[in-house]
Amino acid sequence: MERFRFPVTVRYLEVDAQGVVFNMWYLGYFDEALNGYLAHCGHPYPKLIASGTDVQLVHTELDYKAGVRWGDPLVIEVSTARIGNTSFTLDFQAKVGDTVACAASTVYVTVDAKELTKKRVPDDLRAGLLG
């Protein structure tokens, strides 16, 4: 599947004293991109919850590679890296043009939307993530 692209407007408040995006904002950008990616895969978040499934972030690894400044045209690229029985892993790249500013690999566990107990990745979600 081609990488999903999610544009981000870097706000002034997200830039630190060094003039670049403060590192914690990348997790927020990636969370928003997750929502966009799920919708792109046919599972917008309200539909996912209504079907009885939710997802929880259980692990993420970030690598900072370059600074992003206020006003830079930032795009988050998302792709499915792996799908297991009860979890899936997404790869994220925060890019300005062809330059990767931050890369992440994030593991999400699928859970029952009411009980928040781990459950198998539903077949329709699995198919959507595989594209």
Side-chain angles (χ1 to χ4, degrees):
M1 174 191 284
E2 185 176 316
R3 290 177 80 81
F4 171 72
R5 296 174 52 83
F6 184 84
V8 171
T9 300
V10 176
R11 300 175 300 172
Y12 181 75
L13 67 96
E14 296 163 345
V15 177
D16 63 19
Q18 296 171 350
V20 296
V21 171
F22 183 64
N23 56 37
M24 70 129 191
W25 289 107
Y26 288 100
L27 289 172
Y29 298 158
F30 297 154
D31 196 52
E32 287 293 318
L34 162 70
N35 288 312
Y37 186 58
L38 289 173
H40 174 76
C41 293
H43 297 277
Y45 215 78
K47 177 184 170 187
L48 190 68
I49 297 298
S51 76
T53 299
D54 200 350
V55 299
Q56 293 180 340
L57 185 153
V58 295
H59 179 79
T60 194
E61 291 184 19
L62 295 155
D63 291 308
Y64 300 100
K65 300 173 181 285
V68 175
R69 299 187 179 282
W70 177 46
D72 281 349
L74 183 63
V75 173
I76 309 300
E77 293 185 357
V78 187
S79 63
T80 302
R82 179 186 172 283
I83 302 176
N85 289 325
T86 60
S87 67
F88 59 92
T89 303
L90 299 183
D91 287 338
F92 297 91
Q93 289 187 340
K95 296 173 80 173
V96 176
D98 292 332
T99 301
V100 177
C102 182
S105 179
T106 301
V107 179
Y108 299 91
V109 168
T110 50
V111 297
D112 179 277
K114 290 187 174 138
E115 301 298 322
L116 301 180
T117 54
K118 195 185 308 190
K119 67 184 269 186
R120 187 177 189 284
V121 177
D123 291 339
D124 57 340
L125 176 59
R126 180 182 303 275
L129 292 169
L130 289 173

